[in-house]
Amino acid sequence: MNAAFFTLILLSIIRLTTPIALAGIGNMFSERVGVLNLGAEGMMLCGAFCGVLGSYLTKNPWLGVLFGILGGVLASSLHALICVEFGGTQAVSGLGLNILAAGLTTLLSTAVFGTNISPSVPSIQTTPFLAGIPIFGGALSQLSPLIYLSVPIIIGANFLIYHTPFGLRLMAVGDDPKTVETAGVDVWKLKYAGVLLCGAFCGLAGAFMSLGQLDRFFEDMISGKGMMAVIVVKMGRWNPLGIVATALMLGFFDALQLQIQISGFLSIPPEITQIIPFVVAIAAISLQPKGGSGPKTVETPYLRNRYKF
Amino acid sequence: MLSSLRNTGHKGMGRGLLLPLILISAAFLLSGVLILFLKGNPLQAYVALFKGAFGSPSALINTVNKAVPICFAAFAVAVSQFGGTFNIGVEGQLLFGALGATVTGVYLRGLPMVVHVPICLLAGMAFGMVWSLVPAALFIKRGVNLLVVFLMTNTIASFLLQYLVLEVIGDPNALRPASYAIQKSAELPYLLVRPNRLTIGILLLLLTAALLAFFMKKTTLGYEMHAVGANRSAAEYAGIKSGRYMFWSLLIGGALAGLCGSIEIMGNHHRLYTDFSPGYGFDGIPIALLAKGDPWAMLLGGLLFGALRTGSINMQAQTGVPDEIVSVIQGSLIVFIAGEYFVRYLLQRGRKREVEKV
């Protein structure tokens, strides 16, 4: 175990954790307002594609990230329309969104780039200006600036949900929409806000995967990270700290299995090592004490009076 | 958790068909706009799609073959939903079922077909059941979130299957990663060979549908399970042990999913490919929900999804519209299915207006 190897593992953990944590925070907003979001995968895919498209068109990766966030919001607006406005079945809408996004991004990729793999576009995979810092500079500069940005973003999300009237209302809507409505607050506006915020976070996570870790988009590039986001929200008990901690745990075991694979340690086949994070997660979730402080109305639509019959 | 999966009663056959028709046309309309945007001709594309799915007896048989596993997956979701649980783990269960059927199909030798085929089917069901055992037990005993465990077991199943097929039961001479071929005696017998191969899978499907309809509507067990699914606390007060029924609804769901995987392997591929399921387990979910637990309606839904899969090949070949458009049609259809409440609301309002006019 030398220092270089340790650094490598640490960087790998951080890279693997970031998209799951970001999308997890997004899903937290959605579930806090009572909307289950199984469509995180699709929203991230839209974010990843729109990010690359934006970077391709403007030649500026930061504008690309902005495009990615907008792409995520666009995808989530469909989910919001079905689940908030039309009182739809949330699990089905999310799964449909995943299939729709997979088809749509591949189609558009073929229409714009000619194939289902985009060409290399301007990306932000490293932070060169940190290289000047003594000792740690070399390692720190290897991470995307988006990783550094996501730290204040996640802290901001924590502040938003626990310390602002808006955040407390978001939580109240997920627990007891009727009381919130009686108090004269627009329940549906808050629900839309929660789901669209979720889309923004998922879009950012997707853009991070296509522009912060790579420099291109390809078919099915999210490969299960969205579902991991759904998992960490429930395991992290709907609060940002828990979500980041769970994502770090999954990231740690994911990095570990990658290293086992690369080093050929014990010659365990890669398909088996890839299972490790999930087995650990199932063990962890079954050892968690019962109960929890989750939003009480997840998957329960709250309809406007005029839509009732 | 399940209040959104509420079971609303049927209101006559005609109205029951109107709603799916509206949803399907909306999905085709939306995707048509996209085809136009991609400089294709949606009308030609859809005609080619339809011809590819139903245009000839051979195409029709292809469509039926594709529909069989989707229908079984829908049954697996529906049974669990009937007992008040949401089975999103069908994908993992069907992979494991396929594994069970393959292992018994490859390694049991010298059995006559009448014995071998049922053994393989039962093994598939048992494997599917076993794969839903841990999530079901964790859910009932520990109150663990079912969705989370199912999503993870799906991923684990897919990796385990890859490992087993590549390293343990893999055929080094296969063109794609696959297991050894199952024995001839384990292959499902054919009903038709010309113009296209049709196995007895379709008969098994119809039999399962009839059994399910009977179980759900006519037996005490089915009634009590439905009571749990409709309102768990009311069922508890009526002296029904709800946990037990939820547990069994998940296990039966797993068995049906296992049957889905087995029939797909024994009837169609004859060896276990790692990527044999293009997400049948997830296709089953919207179909089960739209059909509101009616097995016969699920058959129609499965036929539609099967037709999309079969027809897309012809569509791409004839009109050059890429077959990913089928994902768009299917995805938007599923999203619209999720929003069916609103369409029912619009229909209801339209009806009220008519009454007011008179």
Side-chain angles (χ1 to χ4, degrees), chain A residues 216-249:
Chain A
R216 64 190 68 221
F217 170 85
F218 56 89
E219 199 178 349
D220 193 30
M221 67 178 295
I222 305 298
S223 65
K225 289 276 190 298
M227 286 305 180
M228 301 276 269
V230 177
I231 291 167
V232 296
V233 178
K234 295 190 189 285
M235 283 181 70
R237 295 276 162 86
W238 296 272
N239 77 65
L241 210 68
I243 291 167
V244 173
T246 319
L248 266 172
M249 185 192 78

mmCIF file of all heavy atoms in Angstrom, chain A residues 216-249:
data_model
loop_
_atom_site.group_PDB
_atom_site.id
_atom_site.type_symbol
_atom_site.label_atom_id
_atom_site.label_comp_id
_atom_site.label_asym_id
_atom_site.label_seq_id
_atom_site.Cartn_x
_atom_site.Cartn_y
_atom_site.Cartn_z
ATOM 1 N N ARG A 216 -17.642 12.718 -24.027
ATOM 2 C CA ARG A 216 -18.579 12.341 -25.085
ATOM 3 C C ARG A 216 -19.821 11.686 -24.508
ATOM 4 O O ARG A 216 -19.867 11.361 -23.317
ATOM 5 C CB ARG A 216 -17.900 11.380 -26.064
ATOM 6 C CG ARG A 216 -17.512 10.057 -25.432
ATOM 7 C CD ARG A 216 -16.639 9.256 -26.352
ATOM 8 N NE ARG A 216 -15.355 9.910 -26.501
ATOM 9 C CZ ARG A 216 -14.700 10.003 -27.663
ATOM 10 N NH1 ARG A 216 -15.221 9.486 -28.742
ATOM 11 N NH2 ARG A 216 -13.522 10.588 -27.717
ATOM 12 N N PHE A 217 -20.820 11.523 -25.375
ATOM 13 C CA PHE A 217 -22.042 10.826 -24.982
ATOM 14 C C PHE A 217 -22.101 9.512 -25.747
ATOM 15 O O PHE A 217 -21.735 9.446 -26.911
ATOM 16 C CB PHE A 217 -23.268 11.674 -25.348
ATOM 17 C CG PHE A 217 -24.566 10.942 -25.192
ATOM 18 C CD1 PHE A 217 -25.196 10.884 -23.955
ATOM 19 C CD2 PHE A 217 -25.155 10.287 -26.271
ATOM 20 C CE1 PHE A 217 -26.371 10.187 -23.799
ATOM 21 C CE2 PHE A 217 -26.342 9.593 -26.113
ATOM 22 C CZ PHE A 217 -26.945 9.550 -24.880
ATOM 23 N N PHE A 218 -22.503 8.463 -25.083
ATOM 24 C CA PHE A 218 -22.824 7.246 -25.833
ATOM 25 C C PHE A 218 -24.069 6.586 -25.255
ATOM 26 O O PHE A 218 -24.491 6.906 -24.134
ATOM 27 C CB PHE A 218 -21.644 6.270 -25.883
ATOM 28 C CG PHE A 218 -21.117 5.872 -24.536
ATOM 29 C CD1 PHE A 218 -21.646 4.784 -23.863
ATOM 30 C CD2 PHE A 218 -20.091 6.590 -23.943
ATOM 31 C CE1 PHE A 218 -21.164 4.421 -22.629
ATOM 32 C CE2 PHE A 218 -19.603 6.225 -22.698
ATOM 33 C CZ PHE A 218 -20.142 5.140 -22.036
ATOM 34 N N GLU A 219 -24.633 5.702 -26.048
ATOM 35 C CA GLU A 219 -25.883 5.043 -25.711
ATOM 36 C C GLU A 219 -25.779 4.373 -24.335
ATOM 37 O O GLU A 219 -24.769 3.752 -24.029
ATOM 38 C CB GLU A 219 -26.145 3.967 -26.793
ATOM 39 C CG GLU A 219 -27.552 3.490 -26.874
ATOM 40 C CD GLU A 219 -27.701 2.465 -28.006
ATOM 41 O OE1 GLU A 219 -26.761 2.321 -28.811
ATOM 42 O OE2 GLU A 219 -28.726 1.826 -28.074
ATOM 43 N N ASP A 220 -26.823 4.531 -23.520
ATOM 44 C CA ASP A 220 -26.913 3.816 -22.239
ATOM 45 C C ASP A 220 -25.710 4.099 -21.331
ATOM 46 O O ASP A 220 -25.222 3.219 -20.632
ATOM 47 C CB ASP A 220 -27.031 2.309 -22.501
ATOM 48 C CG ASP A 220 -27.443 1.558 -21.229
ATOM 49 O OD1 ASP A 220 -28.148 2.168 -20.419
ATOM 50 O OD2 ASP A 220 -27.041 0.405 -21.066
ATOM 51 N N MET A 221 -25.201 5.345 -21.320
ATOM 52 C CA MET A 221 -23.985 5.603 -20.560
ATOM 53 C C MET A 221 -24.219 5.724 -19.056
ATOM 54 O O MET A 221 -23.273 5.671 -18.277
ATOM 55 C CB MET A 221 -23.275 6.849 -21.089
ATOM 56 C CG MET A 221 -24.013 8.145 -20.875
ATOM 57 S SD MET A 221 -23.047 9.529 -21.485
ATOM 58 C CE MET A 221 -21.646 9.475 -20.398
ATOM 59 N N ILE A 222 -25.455 5.877 -18.614
ATOM 60 C CA ILE A 222 -25.703 6.035 -17.180
ATOM 61 C C ILE A 222 -25.634 4.676 -16.482
ATOM 62 O O ILE A 222 -25.196 4.586 -15.332
ATOM 63 C CB ILE A 222 -27.079 6.699 -16.940
ATOM 64 C CG1 ILE A 222 -27.174 8.028 -17.691
ATOM 65 C CG2 ILE A 222 -27.331 6.932 -15.465
ATOM 66 C CD1 ILE A 222 -26.181 9.066 -17.268
ATOM 67 N N SER A 223 -26.033 3.634 -17.181
ATOM 68 C CA SER A 223 -25.932 2.235 -16.742
ATOM 69 C C SER A 223 -26.156 2.011 -15.249
ATOM 70 O O SER A 223 -25.261 1.587 -14.524
ATOM 71 C CB SER A 223 -24.577 1.641 -17.154
ATOM 72 O OG SER A 223 -23.530 2.280 -16.482
ATOM 73 N N GLY A 224 -27.359 2.342 -14.794
ATOM 74 C CA GLY A 224 -27.734 1.961 -13.435
ATOM 75 C C GLY A 224 -27.448 2.987 -12.350
ATOM 76 O O GLY A 224 -27.888 2.823 -11.224
ATOM 77 N N LYS A 225 -26.717 4.084 -12.689
ATOM 78 C CA LYS A 225 -26.422 5.083 -11.662
ATOM 79 C C LYS A 225 -27.711 5.746 -11.143
ATOM 80 O O LYS A 225 -27.799 6.104 -9.971
ATOM 81 C CB LYS A 225 -25.490 6.157 -12.216
ATOM 82 C CG LYS A 225 -24.063 5.687 -12.450
ATOM 83 C CD LYS A 225 -23.240 5.759 -11.194
ATOM 84 C CE LYS A 225 -21.763 5.528 -11.453
ATOM 85 N NZ LYS A 225 -21.457 4.208 -12.007
ATOM 86 N N GLY A 226 -28.700 5.886 -12.021
ATOM 87 C CA GLY A 226 -29.963 6.502 -11.613
ATOM 88 C C GLY A 226 -30.695 5.645 -10.598
ATOM 89 O O GLY A 226 -31.266 6.149 -9.628
ATOM 90 N N MET A 227 -30.671 4.324 -10.830
ATOM 91 C CA MET A 227 -31.326 3.434 -9.882
ATOM 92 C C MET A 227 -30.590 3.458 -8.543
ATOM 93 O O MET A 227 -31.198 3.366 -7.482
ATOM 94 C CB MET A 227 -31.373 2.007 -10.435
ATOM 95 C CG MET A 227 -32.397 1.837 -11.546
ATOM 96 S SD MET A 227 -34.053 2.355 -11.032
ATOM 97 C CE MET A 227 -34.983 2.048 -12.513
ATOM 98 N N MET A 228 -29.244 3.610 -8.608
ATOM 99 C CA MET A 228 -28.472 3.734 -7.371
ATOM 100 C C MET A 228 -28.923 4.978 -6.602
ATOM 101 O O MET A 228 -28.997 4.961 -5.366
ATOM 102 C CB MET A 228 -26.978 3.859 -7.674
ATOM 103 C CG MET A 228 -26.384 2.715 -8.426
ATOM 104 S SD MET A 228 -25.941 1.385 -7.341
ATOM 105 C CE MET A 228 -24.275 1.803 -6.964
ATOM 106 N N ALA A 229 -29.247 6.050 -7.342
ATOM 107 C CA ALA A 229 -29.694 7.281 -6.693
ATOM 108 C C ALA A 229 -30.999 7.039 -5.936
ATOM 109 O O ALA A 229 -31.182 7.531 -4.816
ATOM 110 C CB ALA A 229 -29.872 8.385 -7.729
ATOM 111 N N VAL A 230 -31.914 6.255 -6.568
ATOM 112 C CA VAL A 230 -33.172 5.939 -5.892
ATOM 113 C C VAL A 230 -32.884 5.192 -4.592
ATOM 114 O O VAL A 230 -33.484 5.441 -3.545
ATOM 115 C CB VAL A 230 -34.070 5.083 -6.809
ATOM 116 C CG1 VAL A 230 -35.354 4.695 -6.095
ATOM 117 C CG2 VAL A 230 -34.379 5.818 -8.092
ATOM 118 N N ILE A 231 -31.901 4.281 -4.662
ATOM 119 C CA ILE A 231 -31.577 3.451 -3.506
ATOM 120 C C ILE A 231 -30.979 4.287 -2.368
ATOM 121 O O ILE A 231 -31.372 4.151 -1.214
ATOM 122 C CB ILE A 231 -30.599 2.333 -3.937
ATOM 123 C CG1 ILE A 231 -31.323 1.344 -4.858
ATOM 124 C CG2 ILE A 231 -30.044 1.607 -2.737
ATOM 125 C CD1 ILE A 231 -30.401 0.394 -5.582
ATOM 126 N N VAL A 232 -30.026 5.190 -2.722
ATOM 127 C CA VAL A 232 -29.359 5.929 -1.638
ATOM 128 C C VAL A 232 -30.301 6.883 -0.920
ATOM 129 O O VAL A 232 -30.115 7.154 0.262
ATOM 130 C CB VAL A 232 -28.098 6.706 -2.115
ATOM 131 C CG1 VAL A 232 -27.043 5.768 -2.601
ATOM 132 C CG2 VAL A 232 -28.435 7.753 -3.135
ATOM 133 N N VAL A 233 -31.329 7.369 -1.609
ATOM 134 C CA VAL A 233 -32.262 8.266 -0.927
ATOM 135 C C VAL A 233 -32.973 7.518 0.197
ATOM 136 O O VAL A 233 -33.095 8.013 1.324
ATOM 137 C CB VAL A 233 -33.320 8.814 -1.909
ATOM 138 C CG1 VAL A 233 -34.301 9.697 -1.173
ATOM 139 C CG2 VAL A 233 -32.663 9.585 -3.004
ATOM 140 N N LYS A 234 -33.427 6.315 -0.114
ATOM 141 C CA LYS A 234 -34.183 5.568 0.895
ATOM 142 C C LYS A 234 -33.252 5.050 1.997
ATOM 143 O O LYS A 234 -33.613 5.038 3.165
ATOM 144 C CB LYS A 234 -34.957 4.436 0.229
ATOM 145 C CG LYS A 234 -36.025 4.997 -0.721
ATOM 146 C CD LYS A 234 -36.964 3.943 -1.207
ATOM 147 C CE LYS A 234 -37.883 4.456 -2.299
ATOM 148 N NZ LYS A 234 -38.950 5.329 -1.784
ATOM 149 N N MET A 235 -32.039 4.638 1.601
ATOM 150 C CA MET A 235 -31.102 4.166 2.624
ATOM 151 C C MET A 235 -30.565 5.315 3.455
ATOM 152 O O MET A 235 -30.295 5.161 4.639
ATOM 153 C CB MET A 235 -29.946 3.408 1.982
ATOM 154 C CG MET A 235 -30.323 2.016 1.568
ATOM 155 S SD MET A 235 -28.929 1.143 0.850
ATOM 156 C CE MET A 235 -27.905 0.916 2.281
ATOM 157 N N GLY A 236 -30.419 6.481 2.822
ATOM 158 C CA GLY A 236 -29.918 7.657 3.533
ATOM 159 C C GLY A 236 -30.998 8.403 4.273
ATOM 160 O O GLY A 236 -30.768 9.514 4.746
ATOM 161 N N ARG A 237 -32.189 7.793 4.343
ATOM 162 C CA ARG A 237 -33.287 8.361 5.148
ATOM 163 C C ARG A 237 -33.643 9.800 4.766
ATOM 164 O O ARG A 237 -33.850 10.645 5.622
ATOM 165 C CB ARG A 237 -32.942 8.294 6.637
ATOM 166 C CG ARG A 237 -32.820 6.875 7.187
ATOM 167 C CD ARG A 237 -34.192 6.370 7.545
ATOM 168 N NE ARG A 237 -34.250 4.917 7.677
ATOM 169 C CZ ARG A 237 -33.951 4.260 8.789
ATOM 170 N NH1 ARG A 237 -33.546 4.905 9.837
ATOM 171 N NH2 ARG A 237 -34.067 2.966 8.827
ATOM 172 N N TRP A 238 -33.649 10.107 3.503
ATOM 173 C CA TRP A 238 -34.175 11.365 2.981
ATOM 174 C C TRP A 238 -33.470 12.593 3.526
ATOM 175 O O TRP A 238 -34.035 13.671 3.519
ATOM 176 C CB TRP A 238 -35.683 11.455 3.245
ATOM 177 C CG TRP A 238 -36.442 10.420 2.522
ATOM 178 C CD1 TRP A 238 -36.934 10.505 1.253
ATOM 179 C CD2 TRP A 238 -36.795 9.111 2.992
ATOM 180 N NE1 TRP A 238 -37.557 9.345 0.905
ATOM 181 C CE2 TRP A 238 -37.494 8.468 1.950
ATOM 182 C CE3 TRP A 238 -36.578 8.439 4.180
ATOM 183 C CZ2 TRP A 238 -37.977 7.176 2.065
ATOM 184 C CZ3 TRP A 238 -37.070 7.143 4.301
ATOM 185 C CH2 TRP A 238 -37.768 6.529 3.260
ATOM 186 N N ASN A 239 -32.253 12.473 4.056
ATOM 187 C CA ASN A 239 -31.558 13.721 4.388
ATOM 188 C C ASN A 239 -30.191 13.742 3.708
ATOM 189 O O ASN A 239 -29.561 12.692 3.520
ATOM 190 C CB ASN A 239 -31.487 13.944 5.905
ATOM 191 C CG ASN A 239 -30.448 13.087 6.563
ATOM 192 O OD1 ASN A 239 -29.255 13.241 6.313
ATOM 193 N ND2 ASN A 239 -30.891 12.174 7.398
ATOM 194 N N PRO A 240 -29.751 14.954 3.298
ATOM 195 C CA PRO A 240 -28.566 15.066 2.446
ATOM 196 C C PRO A 240 -27.341 14.375 3.021
ATOM 197 O O PRO A 240 -26.609 13.700 2.295
ATOM 198 C CB PRO A 240 -28.350 16.577 2.355
ATOM 199 C CG PRO A 240 -29.679 17.165 2.585
ATOM 200 C CD PRO A 240 -30.387 16.258 3.543
ATOM 201 N N LEU A 241 -27.147 14.504 4.345
ATOM 202 C CA LEU A 241 -25.968 13.903 4.955
ATOM 203 C C LEU A 241 -26.000 12.381 4.790
ATOM 204 O O LEU A 241 -25.008 11.760 4.383
ATOM 205 C CB LEU A 241 -25.934 14.271 6.440
ATOM 206 C CG LEU A 241 -24.540 14.357 7.031
ATOM 207 C CD1 LEU A 241 -23.803 15.540 6.447
ATOM 208 C CD2 LEU A 241 -24.629 14.435 8.550
ATOM 209 N N GLY A 242 -27.147 11.800 5.097
ATOM 210 C CA GLY A 242 -27.292 10.346 4.970
ATOM 211 C C GLY A 242 -27.101 9.900 3.534
ATOM 212 O O GLY A 242 -26.489 8.859 3.262
ATOM 213 N N ILE A 243 -27.635 10.695 2.606
ATOM 214 C CA ILE A 243 -27.535 10.332 1.197
ATOM 215 C C ILE A 243 -26.085 10.335 0.743
ATOM 216 O O ILE A 243 -25.613 9.394 0.097
ATOM 217 C CB ILE A 243 -28.382 11.298 0.340
ATOM 218 C CG1 ILE A 243 -29.864 11.048 0.613
ATOM 219 C CG2 ILE A 243 -28.072 11.141 -1.134
ATOM 220 C CD1 ILE A 243 -30.765 12.115 0.075
ATOM 221 N N VAL A 244 -25.349 11.390 1.129
ATOM 222 C CA VAL A 244 -23.944 11.463 0.734
ATOM 223 C C VAL A 244 -23.168 10.320 1.383
ATOM 224 O O VAL A 244 -22.327 9.672 0.741
ATOM 225 C CB VAL A 244 -23.337 12.829 1.116
ATOM 226 C CG1 VAL A 244 -21.847 12.847 0.863
ATOM 227 C CG2 VAL A 244 -24.013 13.932 0.314
ATOM 228 N N ALA A 245 -23.466 10.030 2.661
ATOM 229 C CA ALA A 245 -22.764 8.947 3.344
ATOM 230 C C ALA A 245 -23.025 7.612 2.648
ATOM 231 O O ALA A 245 -22.094 6.828 2.395
ATOM 232 C CB ALA A 245 -23.210 8.877 4.801
ATOM 233 N N THR A 246 -24.291 7.346 2.302
ATOM 234 C CA THR A 246 -24.614 6.089 1.620
ATOM 235 C C THR A 246 -23.942 6.022 0.256
ATOM 236 O O THR A 246 -23.403 4.989 -0.139
ATOM 237 C CB THR A 246 -26.135 5.959 1.434
ATOM 238 O OG1 THR A 246 -26.778 6.400 2.612
ATOM 239 C CG2 THR A 246 -26.519 4.530 1.160
ATOM 240 N N ALA A 247 -23.979 7.161 -0.460
ATOM 241 C CA ALA A 247 -23.355 7.188 -1.783
ATOM 242 C C ALA A 247 -21.857 6.930 -1.664
ATOM 243 O O ALA A 247 -21.266 6.222 -2.480
ATOM 244 C CB ALA A 247 -23.608 8.536 -2.463
ATOM 245 N N LEU A 248 -21.238 7.488 -0.598
ATOM 246 C CA LEU A 248 -19.804 7.268 -0.376
ATOM 247 C C LEU A 248 -19.520 5.795 -0.106
ATOM 248 O O LEU A 248 -18.549 5.234 -0.602
ATOM 249 C CB LEU A 248 -19.321 8.106 0.808
ATOM 250 C CG LEU A 248 -18.740 9.473 0.472
ATOM 251 C CD1 LEU A 248 -18.494 10.267 1.738
ATOM 252 C CD2 LEU A 248 -17.453 9.334 -0.332
ATOM 253 N N MET A 249 -20.421 5.175 0.673
ATOM 254 C CA MET A 249 -20.229 3.760 0.970
ATOM 255 C C MET A 249 -20.282 2.936 -0.319
ATOM 256 O O MET A 249 -19.396 2.110 -0.588
ATOM 257 C CB MET A 249 -21.302 3.288 1.945
ATOM 258 C CG MET A 249 -21.097 1.861 2.398
ATOM 259 S SD MET A 249 -22.539 1.216 3.255
ATOM 260 C CE MET A 249 -23.614 0.845 1.890
#
